Amino acid sequence: TMRVSVAALGVALWASPSSGFSLTPGTSIASRSSLPLASSCPPAPSVLPAGLPTARASAGVGPSMGMERREALIAGGIFGAVLAAGAPSAALAADEGYSEVIPGSDGMAVDVSATYPKGWVLERKPGTLIVNDDVLMACDADPDKCVFGDVTMKPKVAGADGGFIVVRSVDGDLGSITKDFIKKSVFGRGGKFGAFGAPEDVKFVKEETVGNTRLIDVKFTAFSPGGTTIARKGIVALSKSGPEVYMLVATTSAARWGKSEALLREMAGSLRTRQTGEKATVQEKDTGIKKSMFAAQNEERARLERERAKEGIQ
């Protein structure tokens, strides 16, 4: 099957109306195709025919590596030989990293880290990452009134795959954390998946503990802006340090699960937390609750009405 796929790739390139093809730097293999490209394999100059460009061992080949059709066909055969030798796929190479020392609710510093696939981007919204019960209730009641820090990992090109970190204060050890607690912390109305309604049919399928990390498979149904349902699957990784549990939630659509499962498992399994033994830097207190998103407009309207009343304008 691998040889047929590689041959098909070569034929497709040869039949292309353009004179060649190129792979640009930063190309995310995971978001383009499930077939690993030359960049997923280490260069093998001793095998390449003379005159054929050598691929770099990265997710992009460049700055621009053009090939004529004949060279593309030759390269297709070489790619197949390297893949058959068992070279790892770059789509599963989680070589980008997130690392941050944050203050726990007990005032002690906690080092939090995780890796995510090459070609993805990290978004860190400022603010406290710890979500307490008051914030959780406010978010579930009215998502417009809740705000807290955020760590999100996702492909550069928006798609179904993604991951984010949730931090919650909880008593007990890692093994005592209940599924109901996880469900309320991650799959509520005010959570990542609740923009158009709280997720439904949340089911925890299986779990295992690897080292100090609990890994739980989950499937659920989310809602689109139009109200249609979207089946999703993923893994929730849990690591406890101090009073808080740190959860890395890595999910995708059920339709993409077969392609993305290995990548998401690698990302979830990379979560690490540890107390540094030092006092955390004091941050400005953040309740995690804000006024409604229309508060600024309402206050401005009230100010104008007061000015009009003062000047006797009806």
Side-chain angles (χ1 to χ4, degrees):
T1 303
M2 181 65 73
R3 291 174 181 171
V4 172
S5 299
V6 171
L9 173 63
V11 171
L13 291 167
W14 177 78
S16 172
S18 63
S19 60
F21 77 98
S22 65
L23 301 173
T24 57
T27 299
S28 173
I29 294 177
S31 62
R32 295 301 179 100
S33 170
S34 60
L35 177 65
L37 300 177
S39 55
S40 67
C41 309
S46 60
V47 193
L48 296 175
L52 189 63
T54 301
R56 296 180 183 177
S58 64
V61 180
S64 178
M65 187 183 77
M67 293 188 191
E68 297 302 325
R69 295 167 186 163
R70 179 175 178 278
E71 291 174 321
L73 288 171
I74 295 173
I78 293 170
F79 297 168
V82 176
L83 291 172
S89 169
L92 304 181
D95 55 0
E96 301 287 350
Y98 159 73
S99 181
E100 181 178 0
V101 176
I102 70 171
S105 59
D106 60 354
M108 300 302 292
V110 178
D111 187 3
V112 184
S113 65
T115 56
Y116 52 93
K118 189 174 181 65
W120 283 32
V121 293
L122 175 75
E123 294 182 354
R124 173 65 165 98
K125 185 173 75 175
T128 179
L129 292 177
I130 300 175
V131 180
N132 58 35
D133 290 339
D134 290 339
V135 174
L136 195 65
M137 290 176 62
C139 291
D140 285 345
D142 184 358
D144 287 340
K145 290 186 178 180
C146 74
V147 60
F148 45 85
D150 187 59
V151 177
T152 303
M153 294 154 276
K154 60 185 180 180
K156 289 181 181 178
V157 178
D161 299 356
F164 58 93
I165 292 176
V166 176
V167 185
R168 291 272 282 129
S169 298
V170 60
D171 295 328
D173 58 16
L174 185 64
S176 67
I177 297 172
T178 66
K179 304 288 179 57
D180 186 58
F181 176 87
I182 299 170
K183 181 178 177 180
K184 290 179 179 178
S185 300
V186 177
F187 302 100
R189 173 71 175 87
K192 283 282 189 182
F193 304 111
F196 307 104
E200 296 181 347
D201 303 321
V202 180
K203 293 182 175 64
F204 297 99
V205 182
K206 64 177 182 178
E207 76 167 273
E208 63 175 333
T209 300
V210 180
N212 297 319
T213 306
R214 243 177 106 182
L215 300 167
I216 304 177
D217 282 35
V218 63
K219 60 181 181 179
F220 60 98
T221 301
F223 292 93
S224 71
T228 57
T229 58
I230 305 169
R232 295 186 67 84
K233 291 185 176 183
I235 307 102
V236 181
L238 297 86
S239 178
K240 194 164 191 298
S241 289
E244 276 73 51
V245 60
Y246 300 79
M247 294 175 274
L248 196 165
V249 185
T251 70
T252 189
S253 65
R256 278 191 55 85
W257 179 247
K259 294 181 179 180
S260 302
E261 179 183 0
L263 178 148
L264 296 175
R265 285 194 186 283
E266 185 173 344
M267 180 168 69
S270 73
L271 176 65
R272 299 288 184 274
T273 66
R274 68 174 184 86
Q275 284 190 304
T276 65
E278 300 177 355
K279 284 284 188 179
T281 302
V282 179
Q283 294 186 339
E284 182 180 352
K285 185 173 178 56
D286 188 343
T287 63
I289 304 173
K290 66 174 183 178
K291 296 179 181 179
S292 174
M293 62 185 292
F294 300 108
Q297 293 93 318
N298 293 338
E299 290 174 1
E300 177 65 13
R301 186 181 297 110
R303 184 186 66 79
L304 291 173
E305 289 176 354
R306 288 194 298 271
E307 290 183 357
R308 290 169 61 88
K310 185 178 180 179
E311 296 176 6
I313 303 175
Q314 298 295 325

